[in-house]
Amino acid sequence: MSRILVVEDEPAIAELIAINLRHAGHEVSLATSAEQAQHAVGVALPDLLLLDWMLPGESGLNLARRWRADARTRELPIIMLTARAQEGDMIMGLDAGADDYLSKPFSPKELLARIRAVLRRKAPNTLGEAVEMDGLRLDPNTRRVSHGHGQLQQELKIGATEFRLLHFLMTHPERVHSRAQLLDRVWGDHVFIEERTVDVHVKRLREALAPAQRSDLIETVRGVGYRMTSSVGRHAA
Ligand code: CA
């Protein structure tokens, strides 16, 4: 499941796209202008954007260029949608920073295939593959966290926010994340939540991992933030 923002001013097309994406298990939000899209992205970074070229007011092309110039949105996966099908236009779209390009009309199947391809390339952690570290296993499809294997496998009780936090940390290991970065990537709501909220949820996450003796996988990096590190690697070092 990925969070996808659809920026499209034609309601019938937007609705059709939304229905197909939701049916495929994605979480969809809609924007009908560049201004609305900018606001939505300001509040929460989606996993991927479907961006119509021709919008009332500022064009999708311009918007893509602005996002690419901003450090916070530079890596946003963007697929441009357009009625234009000429080669020159496609090159302009890709030059503006789009990751892919789809000409209307397109089939829902093709749209979903392109989305999968872009996500695989740019955000593999949103594709729902299970991740594992030091015997700790998180499966986004079943929403389960477990530890150990076979007879010794132990299911861990974990809250929804701690689950998302753990998922992010496990898919971005061995890197220090500031509280602001975690808010942006896990809560997607960096504007309204205080940074110490992160500390509260990290504490809860460590408590959830305690029955498996895996609390120490999450390190506090003083004055900076948090890092998920394999304790196997740490002991070997
Ligand atoms: Ca349009």
Side-chain angles (χ1 to χ4, degrees):
M1 190 222 41
S2 302
R3 288 177 300 180
I4 298 177
L5 176 63
V6 179
V7 189
E8 166 64 73
D9 61 309
E10 286 155 79
I13 296 174
E15 199 46 44
L16 189 67
I17 293 173
I19 288 169
N20 281 292
L21 295 183
R22 286 189 184 122
H23 188 69
H26 298 295
E27 202 178 298
V28 182
S29 45
L30 299 172
T32 57
S33 67
E35 201 182 2
Q36 270 188 24
Q38 184 65 60
H39 178 75
V41 166
V43 171
L45 286 176
D47 296 317
L48 182 138
L49 268 139
L50 293 179
L51 180 60
D52 186 25
W53 180 310
M54 297 297 282
L55 294 167
E58 188 181 5
S59 73
L61 191 70
N62 230 18
L63 201 54
R65 278 201 192 106
R66 279 205 289 126
W67 280 331
R68 284 297 178 253
D70 181 339
R72 181 172 172 263
T73 48
R74 188 168 295 149
E75 299 296 323
L76 261 183
I78 298 174
I79 298 178
M80 292 275 295
L81 306 177
T82 181
R84 306 166 174 224
Q86 276 122 20
E87 195 184 3
D89 292 335
M90 185 179 83
I91 290 165
M92 264 172 83
L94 296 173
D95 277 351
D99 294 289
D100 202 356
Y101 185 96
L102 215 46
S103 308
K104 299 176 200 172
F106 45 81
S107 75
K109 253 191 184 156
E110 184 177 10
L111 174 65
L112 291 170
R114 298 288 190 98
I115 288 174
R116 272 198 304 275
V118 169
L119 286 175
R120 199 174 299 129
R121 199 145 38 93
K122 295 200 75 179
N125 57 307
T126 65
L127 283 182
E129 282 149 25
V131 274
E132 196 161 343
M133 185 190 272
D134 292 5
L136 190 69
R137 183 183 162 85
L138 178 148
D139 188 340
N141 296 306
T142 56
R143 298 249 139 204
R144 281 182 169 160
V145 178
S146 58
H147 181 258
H149 295 280
Q151 296 264 309
L152 295 171
Q153 191 174 8
Q154 178 183 17
E155 188 112 353
L156 300 176
K157 275 187 78 171
I158 187 165
T161 302
E162 289 75 39
F163 183 92
R164 287 208 310 276
L165 180 59
L166 181 63
H167 189 205
F168 178 77
L169 291 170
M170 286 182 84
T171 50
H172 301 81
E174 314 296 335
R175 261 180 276 174
V176 184
H177 306 285
S178 71
R179 289 168 179 81
Q181 283 167 339
L182 289 172
L183 280 178
D184 208 23
R185 302 294 299 273
V186 178
W187 279 258
D189 211 359
H190 66 298
V191 181
F192 308 112
I193 302 177
E194 288 184 60
E195 293 198 353
R196 67 165 175 260
T197 304
V198 175
D199 302 331
V200 172
H201 287 280
V202 167
K203 183 168 176 283
R204 283 190 202 155
L205 176 55
R206 283 182 177 140
E207 283 163 7
L209 300 180
Q213 274 123 38
R214 283 294 175 269
S215 307
D216 65 343
L217 288 181
I218 298 154
E219 278 186 286
T220 303
V221 181
R222 201 177 287 268
V224 188
Y226 295 100
R227 170 171 57 200
M228 185 132 191
T229 312
S230 163
S231 58
V232 174
R234 216 180 312 158
H235 294 152

